[in-house]
Amino acid sequence: IWQTDSWTPPYVSPSDPIPTNEFKNVEKDLLNPGLTHMEQPRLAGIARKLGIPYAPCMLGFDRHGGRGTPLIRGIVVHDHNVGLIREASIEWESHVVEKERSERRKQVLRKWKRLVVGLLTKERLEREYGDR
């Protein structure tokens, strides 16, 4: 077809808002140049905390029981924000790992305390009432 050019979506500059559909998401098949799809988990919360504009990304539809439900995974951001979000994601993951390690340590210490207090209580009761 020599008379027509294939349609390409217009370039989105960093100062432009992210174009979304009426459901406030972006279809991956219609992703504009200048935007990047990021599919790692929990990136929306990181982008929100950093104040970076983003939109959820719709990959397609899942068919369940004759109904099509949109399959939304990841977010769409401007190209210049990708590095910042990746770095923040790595830092956030390390923070979560450290927090989980700290919570696990507290839990172990609580269990040890409960065991020691129980043994001390048993020893005191045997000492006070053991020969009766």
Side-chain angles (χ1 to χ4, degrees):
I1 308 244
W2 56 273
Q3 294 179 340
T4 59
D5 294 329
S6 60
W7 180 81
T8 57
Y11 177 78
V12 177
S13 70
S15 60
D16 293 338
I18 297 175
T20 59
N21 59 17
E22 66 256 18
F23 301 105
K24 304 290 185 220
N25 57 37
V26 177
E27 295 182 37
K28 186 173 183 204
D29 295 337
L30 303 176
L31 195 62
N32 296 55
L35 298 177
T36 302
H37 173 235
M38 300 181 76
E39 200 169 342
Q40 293 86 1
R42 296 180 290 277
L43 288 181
I46 294 170
R48 187 179 315 115
K49 287 178 184 176
L50 293 175
I52 296 174
Y54 72 95
C57 185
M58 185 180 80
L59 301 180
F61 288 93
D62 272 346
R63 304 280 179 209
H64 294 291
R67 301 186 97 184
T69 58
L71 179 62
I72 296 178
R73 281 212 190 109
I75 61 172
V76 173
V77 295
H78 289 101
D79 288 340
H80 72 281
N81 289 328
V82 171
L84 179 64
I85 290 179
R86 281 201 179 116
E87 288 176 19
S89 173
I90 290 169
E91 189 170 324
W92 187 81
E93 285 293 329
S94 66
H95 173 71
V96 166
V97 167
E98 185 63 35
K99 187 175 180 182
E100 287 175 355
R101 186 178 296 136
S102 173
E103 289 297 321
R104 176 74 177 143
R105 181 174 167 82
K106 287 179 185 176
Q107 183 181 20
V108 168
L109 290 174
R110 275 194 307 268
K111 288 183 178 183
W112 271 106
K113 180 181 176 184
R114 183 175 179 191
L115 176 67
V116 169
V117 167
L119 290 174
L120 289 174
T121 304
K122 179 182 176 192
E123 181 182 317
R124 181 180 57 85
L125 289 174
E126 285 178 356
R127 193 177 49 232
E128 290 179 9
Y129 303 104
D131 51 329
R132 290 185 188 185

